Amino acid sequence: MTDQIPKGSDEADLRTRMLLVCRQMNASGINQGTSGNLSARIGPKSLLITPSGLPYESLTEDGLALLEFDGQWIGPSRPSSEWRIHRDILAARSEVGAVLHAHSTHCTALACLGLGIPAFHYMVAVAGGQDIRCAPYATFGTQSLSDHALAALDGRKACLLANHGLLALGATPEKALALAIEVETLAQMYILARGLGEPTILDAAEMERVLALFRTYGTPDFPDAELRQKAPSSRVIHR
Ligand SMILES: [Zn+2]
């Protein structure tokens, strides 16, 4: 860690967490070589982002570039060539704290056919809507690609990029990674299902029901009238 980044500071902590997520991108198999990239919001108009073309095995906390929204950056290596996508999403979506991009195999296979992921499985709602769209193709690193991505992400936390890969957003780098893994798994399931026939697509009303449930999933507000939490003191010890 450099002198300018005090140990234990929010920035030092975020750099450490981002590095861990980068390594998990490799370990989970969603990352291919140096193609993926990760960013996280660090200030109102700035972000930390993985550098261009450096394998995550040799990346350190100091190797992450600090990038301002106007394109100025500080760091030992230049930011990922897809910095515009990261900048534009963080600028447009205040609820997003981290952006993950990867060329994960199954998402990319679908995207090479220009296919998104329809509601063949209820978990498609994890990306925030009725489907996971595929943004039209544009050359990597261009403003056009970023514009297409932002449009495909409208009302969503993930999208595919035609002939390219996957984007996943989250409040934190860890949440963006969890979503990326979920979407890659859905892409794999969808490809397998399509290999067997034409999957049944859940209708819009059912997906609305699932989306409503997902808003409270994992919280005490999740509706299930038959499931009632008892006080620990009411526990009977069975011997
Ligand atoms: Zn890419």
Side-chain angles (χ1 to χ4, degrees):
M1 201 67 55
T2 59
D3 318 326
Q4 296 106 319
I5 308 159
K7 249 185 160 178
S9 66
D10 288 350
E11 182 174 337
D13 176 54
L14 186 57
R15 284 174 180 266
T16 303
R17 287 167 50 208
M18 284 178 72
L19 200 66
L20 203 62
V21 167
C22 285
R23 301 224 165 111
Q24 287 168 344
M25 284 169 70
N26 283 352
S28 65
I30 63 160
N31 201 48
Q32 316 299 323
T34 60
S35 57
N37 35 76
L38 176 73
S39 69
R41 192 191 298 280
I42 186 74
K45 289 195 173 199
S46 57
L47 56 134
L48 293 173
I49 186 164
T50 49
S52 186
L54 193 76
Y56 291 160
E57 298 82 43
S58 40
L59 183 64
T60 64
E61 282 95 338
D62 293 331
L64 295 165
L66 176 65
L67 173 70
E68 290 168 23
F69 283 5
D70 64 4
Q72 297 188 77
W73 62 275
I74 303 168
S77 320
R78 62 187 286 142
S80 158
S81 55
E82 298 297 5
W83 67 271
R84 287 179 184 80
I85 292 183
H86 295 265
R87 184 265 317 264
D88 292 348
I89 293 170
L90 291 172
R93 301 272 298 261
S94 60
E95 84 283 14
V96 175
V99 179
L100 185 154
H101 169 57
H103 300 178
S104 59
T105 309
H106 297 89
C107 285
T108 305
L110 287 174
C112 289
L113 300 176
L115 293 171
I117 309 177
F120 80 104
H121 191 292
Y122 77 90
M123 280 300 288
V124 164
V126 77
Q130 296 269 346
D131 57 6
I132 298 168
R133 303 185 190 101
C134 181
Y137 180 79
T139 310
F140 79 94
T142 59
Q143 187 60 49
S144 299
L145 179 59
S146 179
D147 294 346
H148 290 330
L150 205 56
L153 285 166
D154 185 32
R156 304 284 187 277
K157 292 185 283 184
C159 74
L160 309 188
L161 303 172
N163 308 88
H164 188 154
L166 158 75
L167 276 173
L169 322 180
T172 62
E174 293 84 356
K175 285 186 176 166
L177 173 69
L179 180 61
I181 293 171
E182 193 70 64
V183 175
E184 172 62 9
T185 304
L186 286 164
Q188 184 174 13
M189 290 171 179
Y190 184 50
I191 289 169
L192 283 170
R194 278 185 65 135
L196 298 173
E198 201 52 50
T200 307
I201 305 301
L202 299 171
D203 64 34
E206 175 54 18
M207 285 301 282
E208 275 310 318
R209 227 171 351 255
V210 173
L211 285 160
L213 288 171
F214 272 22
R215 276 172 217 126
T216 54
Y217 187 74
T219 76
D221 296 333
F222 187 73
D224 191 333
E226 289 175 68
L227 206 52
R228 284 122 39 231
Q229 187 176 19
K230 289 173 73 174
S233 58
S234 65
R235 181 179 156 86
V236 178
I237 307 291
H238 297 279
R239 295 178 193 280

